[in-house]
Amino acid sequence: MTENSQAQPAANPELPTQYAPAEVEGKLYERWVERGYFEADEKSGKPPYTIVIPPPNVTGSLHLGHAFEHTIIDALTRRKRMQGYETLWQPGMDHAGIATQNVVERELAKEGKSRHDLGREAFVERVWQWKEESGGQISGQMRRLGDGVAWSRERFTMDEGLSEAVQTIFKRLFDDGLIYRAERIINWCPRCLTAISDIEVEYQDDDGELVSIKYGDGDETLVVATTRAETMLGDTAVAVHPDDERYAHLVGRRIKLPLTDRTIPVVADTHVDPEFGTGAVKVTPAHDPNDFEIGRRHDLPNVTVMDERAVITTPGPFQGLDRYEARSAIVAALRAEGRIVAEKRPYVHSVGHCSRCKTTVEPRLSLQWWVKVGPLAKAAGDAVRDGRVTIHPKEMESRYFAWIDNLNDWNISRQLWWGHRIPVWHGPNGETVCVGPNDEPPAGEGWHQDTDVLDTWFSSGLWPFSTLGWPEQTPSLEKFYPNSVLVTGYDILFFWVARMMMFGLYAMDGTPPFHTIALHGMVRDQFGKKMSKSFGNAVNPLDWMDKYGSDAVRFTLARGANPGVDVPIGEDWVQGSRNFANKIWNATRFAMMNGATVEGPLPDAAQMSATDRWILSRLNETVAQVDALYEDYQFAKLSDALFHFAWDEVFDWYVELSKTTFFAGGEQAKVSGRVLGEVLDVTLRLLHPIVPFVTETLWTTLTGKESVVVADWPADSGFRDQAAEREIEHLQQVVTEVRRFRADQGLQPGQKVPGRLDLSATPLAAHETAIRQLLRLQEEGDAFQATATLPVAGATVALDLSGTIDVPAERKRLTKDRDAAEKEKQQATAKLGNEAFLAKAPDNVVDKIRGRLTKAEADIERLTAQLAALPED
């Protein structure tokens, strides 16, 4: 930044020569927390601005997805705090039922024990012990990132207050007939031994087998295909389409189920696709969700053939085999009877796996607790349709409606020990009593509490209001509900978001939990591939923070954050952001060493140079632009705008143009010093929400004030000077074109050459000294020879390149490049003139060729001008 300076004043002792994030970030964060900057006061008269953290699992650690989401939320809340809002970023963690139980069970296994050896009460105590000792490491990592959360309000979904909220809403839903118990098909994990939600099922393509089996004999023969032959033991029908004439004679008749002593009916059901396969499907109501619905429509029995560990329970030769052993044995037995019509191996198909343990999920008929979501889902849909809640970006609304308008009843029970125990007691004679938080449970012989716990999403669905003290009508609830915005990934729009919408509207008398749902995409690697340990491309953001600083990681993530769009990120981009932080540091340090000040009011515009007026005009335009982009959650665009304003306009142009003024001293230097101080003050405040650490250090040193965290957010003063902007744009054009010519001639950036500058036909005369310095132009001297003359934007720049370049070699190089451009132009012109080609070629191919033609023509023009500017050999 300062290599062109003619003199170097003594360094400012308050700013080291280099920025060292590791020496700054931790101390600054603790200072912010100690001073209470992130705490929220419900008694404040300021308008509220509330965001809840999507509660990370207590078992988790900070990954790039967290860092991305937290950067966005932190930037929003930091800006609103600076704007004078009473901000609450609500922190906390989720108890993560299955994940946490699995962690503790693995620890017990190392001791040769299971949870059953301890018993339920002792096991839960063991989980709490693990939580206190090992859980929640993500809190420390959030501090590393700079998360401005209200730590004094940290909540846990199993703490006493949230447990009361869970019991309260369960009781209300139960009493309103919106919670019931019934047998349904659920996702079952044979390893975790519990039902799991749809979001806890991960689908992947597995190699399996597709076997076609002949059912029945003679005229009563049907062929069905299956990837799960073991479930045929539970078949209670074969279904065909009502209009399929091939099987009309069989509908209503019974056929023999192979390998059993049972016969099953042939039923007609519109669910069957007559065009798919043979048009006949086996129906296993107890082991397939679609078959279960067919079974309900036709009053078919539900025959369960596997236990909770996916072991065959049907009496006979397959009893005691696990599902995969049984599959092979059953296919072999069918083959021996000549009932295998076709076999396909491998047969690649999508299979659901438990996201926690990766075990293949088994659809299973089970007695579970359910939420009747119909009226709740309708209210959640209406809240978006009538504008009480806005989804951003708007195109995500259709995905929300497609889900919420077709939501099935929600299975809320889990067969775990860690979690909120279902507050229902069962009596000796089949009685059922739901108990609220202030109720005494029934006592006496034969009474026992339901053994299941609630789905984790049940408690996290209450998060926007349970964290504020609900069901009590607390001052915090009154002040900070509803939330201003929910920032979360589009991947849980259907799960967490939908549940919060349903519960918030139900519990809070029709008031939705947030005004805006701002959806972001997923973080991917630089090639757009999903990050995964199995892919070898997963990144620990702490490693990048250690190497480049938290600001660099934050800025990289923010710069990729387009609403609802996935974010590619690579280490070289983080390096670039680290360079930006260093640029901010070095440029601010140089500016402060050369007179930048925030003391006193800004001078009148009449006292300012055109350069001063230009940068202030651009500054206010940037403030307005950044404000508008924040309101639209356009983080990528606002980060890019800040980057280019700070690096290009402030540091690379304004500071460089002002150097001659600073070195000359006098009143004009004082004016420009005050302008530069103002620009730095505002720029650092604009950057602070995204890069908080480096801006805090620089801003407090520049201004001498307490902290940029509690500084005022910049306002657009309305100052604009279009004439000054045009003047400096003119100057930039001259400098840029001549620099390009210098580079094309092979001159080094710092290499000085004799030059003559004629600005008489431009308004740039006052900038001659600055332009000369930017272009590295020496005075002409007596031996000056104008070997290259460049007419640029009304100015004329004559250069003496004798002795600086090998003219014949340069002429040869430029001629070769121009010949190549001419050839490219001819080829592109020929293709675009070929009607047959244009008729067949895709639009993107034609557009690409048009682009090549445009570039070739520009290259020819540029290279011809460079050749003309060369001195004679």
Side-chain angles (χ1 to χ4, degrees):
M1 179 65 212
T2 61
E3 70 274 14
N4 306 320
S5 304
Q6 298 172 358
Q8 288 296 320
N12 188 322
E14 295 185 80
L15 282 179
T17 55
Q18 292 184 327
Y19 177 49
E23 298 175 11
V24 170
E25 295 177 348
K27 296 176 183 177
L28 281 185
Y29 189 84
E30 291 309 314
R31 185 189 307 162
W32 292 335
V33 173
E34 289 168 6
R35 293 179 177 178
Y37 292 154
F38 305 142
E39 296 303 324
D41 181 6
E42 59 265 17
K43 298 177 183 178
S44 161
K46 299 177 183 178
Y49 186 80
T50 316
I51 296 181
V52 295
I53 192 172
N57 288 351
V58 67
T59 59
S61 61
L62 192 74
H63 56 65
L64 270 178
H66 288 125
F68 172 56
E69 186 169 77
H70 291 199
T71 295
I72 294 174
I73 298 174
D74 195 40
L76 288 170
T77 52
R78 284 179 182 269
R79 173 174 173 260
K80 286 296 182 180
R81 185 180 297 113
M82 296 172 75
Q83 287 182 314
Y85 286 78
E86 191 64 37
T87 59
L88 169 58
W89 182 8
Q90 173 67 54
M93 284 182 291
D94 192 283
H95 65 279
I98 295 177
T100 306
Q101 181 158 318
N102 280 348
V103 168
V104 178
E105 285 194 272
R106 283 195 294 269
E107 287 193 353
L108 286 174
K110 295 175 184 176
E111 303 170 13
K113 299 178 181 178
S114 74
R115 59 177 162 134
H116 300 285
D117 294 323
L118 272 66
R120 184 167 193 147
E121 186 175 340
F123 176 77
V124 171
E125 288 181 4
R126 179 71 177 261
V127 180
W128 275 109
Q129 179 184 345
W130 175 89
K131 187 262 181 185
E132 295 303 320
E133 295 175 357
S134 306
Q137 62 172 309
I138 201 169
S139 295
Q141 296 166 341
M142 288 166 59
R143 294 171 182 265
R144 284 287 313 279
L145 187 64
D147 287 1
V149 299
W151 286 113
S152 69
R153 293 172 174 263
E154 187 174 12
R155 303 303 298 269
F156 180 55
T157 51
M158 287 281 287
D159 69 28
E160 184 177 350
L162 270 65
S163 295
E164 180 183 349
V166 167
Q167 196 172 354
T168 299
I169 201 163
F170 187 101
K171 170 71 170 171
R172 291 188 186 180
L173 289 164
F174 184 90
D175 290 346
D176 286 346
L178 295 174
I179 284 182
Y180 63 95
R181 197 179 191 212
E183 278 196 322
R184 298 282 188 276
I185 293 286
I186 45 87
N187 302 307
W188 181 266
C189 176
R191 157 60 184 79
C192 298
L193 300 180
T194 181
I196 60 177
S197 68
D198 290 339
I199 197 172
E200 291 162 329
V201 178
E202 294 178 347
Y203 288 89
Q204 65 184 47
D205 288 340
D206 287 357
D207 286 344
E209 60 180 358
L210 181 69
V211 293
S212 297
I213 308 169
K214 182 172 67 174
Y215 281 30
D217 295 296
D219 293 338
E220 298 179 345
T221 297
L222 285 168
V223 175
V224 301
T226 182
T227 59
R228 301 164 67 217
E230 68 278 9
T231 63
M232 69 164 291
L233 300 175
D235 286 358
T236 55
V238 173
V240 298
H241 194 276
D243 300 331
D244 195 333
E245 295 181 358
R246 293 173 295 175
Y247 306 120
H249 66 289
L250 292 176
V251 175
R253 298 172 69 175
R254 302 184 71 85
I255 60 174
K256 179 78 165 54
L257 178 65
L259 306 183
T260 73
D261 57 3
R262 293 192 290 121
T263 61
I264 57 177
V266 178
V267 300
D269 196 281
T270 54
H271 171 75
V272 180
D273 180 359
E275 303 299 324
F276 183 77
T278 64
V281 297
K282 59 192 288 296
V283 182
T284 319
H287 293 277
D288 183 274
N290 292 321
D291 292 3
F292 179 76
E293 295 303 323
I294 293 175
R296 292 178 68 179
R297 288 193 288 270
H298 298 276
D299 294 323
L300 300 175
N302 300 314
V303 177
T304 300
V305 299
M306 279 181 268
D307 66 11
E308 60 185 8
R309 297 183 185 275
V311 172
I312 300 298
T313 57
T314 303
F318 311 111
Q319 187 174 14
L321 300 179
D322 76 23
R323 52 186 165 169
Y324 301 117
E325 294 170 335
R327 183 177 300 172
S328 298
I330 287 172
V331 170
L334 289 167
R335 191 183 298 114
E337 290 191 4
R339 290 192 173 275
I340 299 295
V341 176
E343 298 180 68
K344 184 176 182 180
R345 296 189 186 89
Y347 178 72
V348 179
H349 61 134
S350 182
V351 177
H353 296 259
C354 174
S355 63
R356 304 301 177 191
C357 68
K358 310 309 177 186
T359 301
T360 300
V361 169
E362 191 67 37
R364 185 169 188 260
L365 185 65
S366 180
L367 182 63
Q368 301 282 343
W369 288 95
W370 303 82
V371 171
K372 187 182 297 182
V373 299
L376 303 175
K378 182 181 184 303
D382 290 345
V384 174
R385 287 189 169 93
D386 63 24
R388 282 175 289 158
V389 178
T390 300
I391 294 179
H392 188 89
K394 188 173 178 60
E395 53 266 27
M396 289 286 181
E397 277 188 5
S398 59
R399 298 178 65 175
Y400 175 79
F401 291 134
W403 177 263
I404 207 75
D405 293 345
N406 298 283
L407 203 57
N408 295 320
D409 284 0
W410 171 20
N411 168 216
I412 56 171
S413 46
R414 300 291 180 264
Q415 290 64 56
L416 303 170
W417 287 357
W418 173 246
H420 294 100
R421 190 91 171 259
I422 287 181
V424 170
W425 267 253
H426 302 286
N429 299 311
E431 303 96 331
T432 298
V433 175
C434 182
V435 176
N438 299 316
D439 299 334
E440 286 292 327
E445 185 177 351
W447 283 94
H448 67 278
Q449 187 175 359
D450 197 285
T451 57
D452 288 351
V453 300
L454 286 163
D455 176 13
T456 297
W457 296 103
F458 192 94
S459 52
S460 60
L462 314 180
W463 193 249
F465 51 94
S466 63
T467 52
L468 298 173
W470 187 91
E472 301 298 323
Q473 294 303 307
T474 65
S476 289
L477 188 65
E478 183 178 351
K479 176 79 172 183
F480 295 113
Y481 187 90
N483 288 194
S484 305
V485 61
L486 173 74
V487 177
T488 192
Y490 62 67
D491 58 323
I492 55 175
L493 173 65
F494 314 130
F495 303 102
W496 186 46
V497 179
R499 281 142 178 73
M500 285 190 290
M501 286 286 284
M502 291 191 294
F503 279 170
L505 289 158
Y506 174 79
M508 300 300 292
D509 299 322
T511 301
F514 19 73
H515 297 301
T516 300
I517 302 169
L519 298 171
H520 60 72
M522 304 295 102
V523 177
R524 298 181 177 272
D525 70 13
Q526 64 267 44
F527 306 109
K529 190 175 182 180
K530 179 182 178 181
M531 284 192 174
S532 166
K533 290 181 181 179
S534 61
F535 294 155
N537 63 351
V539 173
N540 182 348
L542 295 177
D543 293 340
W544 281 354
M545 289 184 214
D546 290 340
K547 196 170 182 180
Y548 305 111
S550 298
D551 284 333
V553 174
R554 290 171 61 114
F555 192 74
T556 304
L557 291 166
R559 207 171 177 193
N562 289 297
V565 178
D566 288 348
V567 183
I569 184 172
E571 186 169 1
D572 56 337
W573 302 342
V574 186
Q575 292 175 358
S577 295
R578 186 268 315 274
N579 295 342
F580 180 50
N582 288 340
K583 182 82 168 182
I584 299 169
W585 182 274
N586 293 333
T588 304
R589 182 172 176 272
F590 168 80
M592 292 173 63
M593 288 162 41
N594 287 275
T597 178
V598 294
E599 296 178 4
L602 274 175
D604 292 336
Q607 297 176 268
M608 299 179 192
S609 67
T611 308
D612 295 333
R613 298 193 303 277
W614 162 74
I615 197 63
L616 287 175
S617 183
R618 294 295 306 129
L619 176 68
N620 280 289
E621 181 61 37
T622 301
V623 170
Q625 182 183 10
V626 167
D627 273 334
L629 292 170
Y630 259 115
E631 296 304 317
D632 200 32
Y633 303 98
Q634 297 281 357
F635 278 88
K637 291 181 179 179
L638 73 87
S639 299
D640 213 44
L642 286 169
F643 174 87
H644 288 294
F645 175 72
W647 190 308
D648 299 343
E649 297 187 279
V650 178
F651 303 144
D652 277 357
W653 283 107
Y654 181 73
V655 170
E656 291 292 334
L657 287 169
S658 300
K659 281 181 179 178
T660 53
T661 302
F662 291 140
F663 296 144
E667 287 301 314
Q668 191 56 52
K670 291 180 181 179
V671 170
S672 293
R674 179 65 189 90
V675 170
L676 180 53
E678 180 75 9
V679 171
L680 289 175
D681 172 14
V682 172
T683 302
L684 291 171
R685 282 186 281 151
L686 288 174
L687 284 165
H688 172 73
I690 299 175
V691 285
F693 295 108
V694 67
T695 51
E696 171 80 341
T697 305
L698 294 173
W699 189 85
T700 53
T701 305
L702 172 70
T703 65
K705 296 180 180 179
E706 178 185 352
S707 173
V708 71
V709 177
V710 290
D712 290 338
W713 180 252
D716 176 7
S717 71
F719 177 83
R720 300 289 192 279
D721 192 323
Q722 299 299 325
E725 290 199 37
R726 286 192 297 271
E727 184 173 325
I728 301 304
E729 287 170 7
H730 197 158
L731 180 152
Q732 291 171 326
Q733 186 178 359
V734 171
V735 172
T736 300
E737 289 298 320
V738 177
R739 280 177 170 173
R740 183 180 294 118
F741 176 79
R742 285 173 53 97
D744 289 338
Q745 303 306 317
L747 297 178
Q748 296 300 313
Q751 185 175 353
K752 294 184 178 181
V753 297
R756 179 186 301 144
L757 187 60
D758 182 0
L759 301 173
S760 58
T762 74
L764 304 179
H767 303 284
E768 179 167 354
T769 302
I771 293 173
R772 278 189 167 277
Q773 183 173 327
L774 291 170
L775 293 178
R776 311 296 191 267
L777 298 183
Q778 295 175 329
E779 295 298 327
E780 299 175 34
D782 295 336
F784 179 81
Q785 295 179 0
T787 58
T789 302
L790 305 174
V792 182
T796 302
V797 183
L799 304 176
D800 183 353
L801 303 180
S802 57
T804 60
I805 60 172
D806 183 340
V807 174
E810 186 64 14
R811 187 179 300 280
K812 183 177 180 181
R813 182 184 71 83
L814 293 173
T815 300
K816 182 180 178 181
D817 289 347
R818 185 175 65 177
D819 290 345
E822 290 280 7
K823 184 176 180 180
E824 176 73 8
K825 177 184 176 180
Q826 291 171 3
Q827 291 175 343
T829 301
K831 284 188 176 181
L832 293 173
N834 185 332
E835 294 296 334
F837 169 78
L838 293 177
K840 295 180 180 179
D843 291 344
N844 65 316
V845 173
V846 175
D847 290 342
K848 187 175 181 180
I849 294 172
R850 288 196 179 106
R852 285 166 47 192
L853 176 60
T854 300
K855 182 179 182 301
E857 290 173 340
D859 288 345
I860 292 167
E861 183 179 355
R862 174 177 57 82
L863 293 164
T864 300
Q866 289 175 244
L867 282 165
L870 285 175
E872 295 296 328
D873 295 350

